Amino acid sequence: MECKVNINLNPYKERVSRARVIKPIGKVTRVIGLMIEVQGITARIGEVCDIVAQGEPEPVRAEVVGFRDQFSLLMPLGELRGIYPGCAVIPSGHNLTIKVGKHLQGKVLDGLGRPIDKTVDYASGQEFLVDNKPPNPLKRKRIDSVLPTGVRAVDALLTCGKGQRIGIFAGSGVGKSTLLGMIARHGSADVNVIALIGERGREVLEFLEEDLGPQGMARSVIVAATSDQPALVRLKGAFVATAIAEYFRDQGLDVMLMMDSVTRFAMAQREVGLAVGEPPATKGYTPSVFALLPKLLERSGMGQQGSITAFYTVLVDGDDLNEPIADAVRGILDGHIVLTRKLASANHYPAIDVLQSVSRLMPDIASDQHKNQAGNLRDLLATYQESEDLINIGAYVLGSNPKIDHAISKHDEIIGYLRQSPLEYSSYEETLNGLADLVGGS
């Protein structure tokens, strides 16, 4: 009896046609700055190559970032030490991948997703691509539930939804990292993924021990690409952290992704763009910077299962909230929290200027009562701020305007409510009860 089995060979034929039976080996012809010019390879943009130098224990990994004439342009994913003209260059055939898994919680990784402290069993994870596409916009779930952060000023007046993306805008030294630490320590997400991009080396351990603490660290994954790392490593650090957050989101978890800072990510891409030969555009930033920002920022948010709630810090040059990167990021995200130097110098922490800040999803997820009370508090603050100069110089006479009188009587209570020490925790219920007690009858 003859048995016929129909087998579809098309997928296998396609794999065979794509397979590289003989790997072409190129050679280094020139190095200018961080740009390596290679001849003799056929590699795609984003493909990782190994540069083998005699006398060095390990090859230098580099990524293809462009082409010029018949040459491929590579940038290193590490130190350039030991490279010389004629070094062998071997394409890997794939883009950068990392090993992911639940074993990463509580660990610190470098910008390429490798463990810094060498205590992680790196081989036990599963391969995950670093460069992924954002979720299909028609398959994203709508944001309909509140994600408490434990910070009164945020939960009361800038309520965040599960899956929302928010920017924290501030100049240097105003308290961005401290606010991130408070949210990571007190937030209600299942996993925190924290990317420290372009940070000073000393600030990494400082953030882990002081801002994050053991409680926050236990459910966090840290990706640290310090300012001394090559531009491409700083760039990849942001994508590696996002990929790790995507992995946990795909497991059905609610993830909190925090990145400090998007500005240094943009600066790293500017270095790469200028090295490839892009023309500088707005304030020296190359066009690729503004093309890459949405590709990074749109990857967070709601998925088909699970969510990534993201907080991105933006370092504004000269406290100018309209500088190019701040303006571009503000247009992409779902809200912005503005920290001001004026409040910080008055010892008001977190230094959130609630009148300049906004959560675009608060009207959809907060109750009507909550929105009315938050609006009342904003009205009181705005009324006081408009008359502050007259009040300070003694030119305002009590009784002249009942609205201003009420704002003056409530001002100290409001400021006390908005202030919060880094170790203080306020549950969502406590925050709303405090808001109702403060302005419920206004």
Side-chain angles (χ1 to χ4, degrees), residues 128-179:
F128 201 82
L129 267 175
V130 169
D131 296 315
N132 296 306
K133 292 182 179 180
N136 186 323
L138 298 180
K139 294 183 178 179
R140 286 182 186 262
K141 291 182 180 177
R142 291 194 63 179
I143 298 171
D144 55 9
S145 58
V146 173
L147 183 78
T149 63
V151 180
R152 273 194 301 271
V154 176
D155 289 343
L157 303 174
L158 306 164
T159 310
C160 300
K162 190 181 294 182
Q164 188 172 350
R165 303 160 305 144
I166 301 176
I168 300 176
F169 295 75
S172 56
V174 181
K176 298 185 300 298
S177 298
T178 303
L179 179 58

Side-chain angles (χ1 to χ4, degrees), residues 53-297:
Q54 288 185 359
E56 295 296 323
E58 293 183 358
V60 175
R61 298 176 82 196
E63 184 178 295
V64 179
V65 295
F67 308 100
R68 184 181 295 137
D69 298 328
Q70 301 301 313
F71 299 97
S72 299
L73 304 178
L74 280 62
M75 289 195 79
L77 294 167
E79 295 296 327
L80 275 173
R81 191 177 297 115
I83 293 179
Y84 55 87
C87 282
V89 180
I90 306 170
S92 65
H94 58 77
N95 290 17
L96 184 66
T97 60
I98 54 171
K99 296 275 191 176
V100 293
K102 292 187 177 180
H103 64 285
L104 294 180
Q105 291 188 45
K107 303 300 181 183
V108 183
L109 311 177
D110 66 10
L112 302 179
R114 301 170 302 194
I116 290 178
D117 56 5
K118 308 300 182 186
T119 60
V120 181
D121 182 10
Y122 193 59
S124 64
Q126 71 178 66
E127 291 283 347
F128 201 82
L129 267 175
V130 169
D131 296 315
N132 296 306
K133 292 182 179 180
N136 186 323
L138 298 180
K139 294 183 178 179
R140 286 182 186 262
K141 291 182 180 177
R142 291 194 63 179
I143 298 171
D144 55 9
S145 58
V146 173
L147 183 78
T149 63
V151 180
R152 273 194 301 271
V154 176
D155 289 343
L157 303 174
L158 306 164
T159 310
C160 300
K162 190 181 294 182
Q164 188 172 350
R165 303 160 305 144
I166 301 176
I168 300 176
F169 295 75
S172 56
V174 181
K176 298 185 300 298
S177 298
T178 303
L179 179 58
L180 279 186
M182 290 174 69
I183 296 171
R185 191 186 301 116
H186 302 314
S188 56
D190 298 320
V191 182
N192 299 319
V193 180
I194 303 172
L196 304 176
I197 308 301
E199 286 291 296
R200 304 172 188 88
R202 67 164 182 83
E203 287 185 340
V204 174
L205 191 60
E206 193 176 287
F207 178 83
L208 299 183
E209 294 182 350
E210 293 186 16
D211 295 331
L212 194 56
Q215 180 184 350
M217 186 64 192
R219 55 193 179 94
S220 300
V221 181
I222 314 297
V223 178
T226 52
S227 57
D228 60 297
Q229 296 292 311
L232 206 55
V233 175
R234 282 177 273 139
L235 204 61
K236 290 300 177 187
F239 288 112
V240 164
T242 305
I244 294 171
E246 288 170 332
Y247 164 77
F248 285 112
R249 180 194 61 195
D250 293 345
Q251 305 300 309
L253 301 177
D254 294 321
V255 184
M256 183 82 77
L257 172 64
M258 301 178 178
M259 190 172 298
D260 187 11
S261 69
V262 174
T263 307
R264 294 192 176 109
F265 166 84
M267 289 177 175
Q269 177 58 27
R270 177 172 63 183
E271 285 184 47
V272 173
L274 291 174
V276 173
E278 274 191 272
T282 314
K283 280 200 173 180
Y285 288 101
T286 57
S288 63
V289 173
F290 302 100
L292 200 61
L293 282 173
K295 290 182 180 178
L296 172 71
L297 302 178

